[in-house]
Amino acid sequence: MIKLIKIKTILMTSVALLSLSGAANAALINLDNTYTLAPNFSSPRGNFHPQGLGYDTASGELLYMQQNVRRIDRSDIFGVFTGSTSIDFSHGTSVAADSTNYYYSNYTSNANGPDLYSKNKITGVRTQISSDVLAYGGYPIDVRDGKMYRSEYSTTYSWANLSSIRISNLSTIDSIDQTVTLDTLFGIADFGIDSVNNEAWVLDYNANAAIRRFDLTTGALLDVFAVGVDGLDAGLTYANGKLYVYDWVENGPSTLRSYSVSGVNVVSAPASLPMILAGIIGVFFIRKSSIAS
């Protein structure tokens, strides 16, 4: 009887553990802090002026791309300035990084200039990494786990038409592995990728923007959060369970908002879990059989 109770307990535990890999839950975000940024984060605009925010997964720094300056500014997660990296163009729109490079999109020279570059953190060497050469206003990007995420091309000096994310490996950047069309009508001002849950957090390209959470497999809209920032010239990124919004204000003060995220799935149970559980249960049955014989 004791052995049967143990086996029943294991079976019940198995069901509970397997249920952890269920469908995505509704998320919640909570504004934790609003930080006033230094004056260099509020440089004057030029013309069409989307701004970008990225996250350096190697250094733990936030990265700021302003349209009318030839640099990437950096801060810690509290908005404290930590340094700048120069770039060669003054029409940057978005920024990302990994352990080796900074990545940025720009619209310098419109249809006569490449849209996507990397810059080596150590050597400072700039490299054109994509054949994208289109007019108008560049596009938002993110880099996570060896993959480049970027929207489709803008077709005018507006990002209201942006509604999809192209995904490729950094090693073969123009070989698009997947294009996900998002269920949005407001365009994409900027986005941050949650690679653990395969989701995208998107800031509306709208004067009264919301943050939207999307499934990166289907493009389905999962959640909407009214944050009330001007998404026409703001940036968004995701890092370690938090969202960061760069609310750019010409001539300042610009601000950095941090939002804690709750309710999203943790890492799903590994695919091998059912086999592991079956093996454990099998051991009990084998042991019970051997004792009986």
Side-chain angles (χ1 to χ4, degrees), residues 26-262:
L28 295 172
I29 69 171
N30 182 67
L31 178 62
D32 293 330
N33 289 288
T34 300
Y35 305 102
T36 300
L37 297 172
N40 56 296
F41 293 102
S42 301
S43 299
R45 67 181 182 176
N47 41 37
F48 175 61
H49 57 283
Q51 318 292 331
L53 185 66
Y55 180 65
D56 188 333
T57 55
S59 69
E61 293 175 307
L62 296 171
L63 309 172
Y64 302 74
M65 178 60 76
Q66 298 181 80
Q67 171 266 330
N68 200 34
V69 299
R70 294 171 176 260
R71 68 176 187 265
I72 299 166
D73 290 319
R74 308 190 305 272
S75 84
D76 64 17
I77 60 173
F78 308 108
V80 177
F81 177 70
T82 55
S84 294
T85 299
S86 64
I87 59 174
D88 297 323
F89 307 106
S90 60
H91 293 86
T93 60
S94 49
V95 61
D98 60 16
S99 59
T100 304
N101 296 304
Y102 296 110
Y103 302 89
Y104 59 95
S105 176
N106 80 104
Y107 62 99
T108 300
S109 300
N110 290 330
N112 295 311
D115 295 343
L116 192 59
Y117 289 91
S118 68
K119 181 167 184 175
N120 188 280
K121 291 180 176 180
I122 303 299
T123 66
V125 173
R126 182 197 76 201
T127 303
Q128 178 189 337
I129 58 173
S130 171
S131 61
D132 287 355
V133 180
L134 274 294
Y136 303 111
Y139 43 64
I141 68 172
D142 199 3
V143 169
R144 305 289 168 129
D145 301 327
K147 293 185 178 182
M148 169 65 70
Y149 298 80
R150 51 186 153 156
S151 76
E152 74 268 46
Y153 310 118
S154 57
T155 57
T156 183
Y157 287 125
S158 168
W159 283 358
N161 72 293
L162 303 184
S163 62
S164 65
I165 295 177
R166 297 176 287 162
I167 307 171
S168 61
N169 288 319
L170 286 170
S171 58
T172 53
I173 201 162
D174 279 343
S175 178
I176 304 301
D177 297 321
Q178 181 184 6
T179 299
V180 184
T181 300
L182 306 181
D183 181 18
T184 181
L185 299 175
F186 294 93
I188 301 173
D190 205 354
F191 64 86
I193 298 299
D194 175 1
S195 58
V196 170
N197 292 294
N198 196 37
E199 295 172 351
W201 294 88
V202 174
L203 182 67
D204 288 342
Y205 187 74
N206 190 290
N208 186 24
I211 294 174
R212 299 173 188 270
R213 173 177 164 242
F214 293 92
D215 185 307
L216 263 183
T217 299
T218 65
L221 177 63
L222 302 177
D223 287 299
V224 181
F225 305 96
V227 293
V229 302
D230 187 351
L232 302 180
D233 48 24
L236 171 74
T237 195
Y238 175 84
N240 302 322
K242 285 184 177 288
L243 293 167
Y244 296 89
V245 175
Y246 173 32
D247 191 1
W248 176 88
V249 177
E250 186 173 24
N251 299 316
S254 297
T255 58
L256 174 70
R257 302 185 185 189
S258 68
Y259 296 84
S260 57
V261 178
S262 59

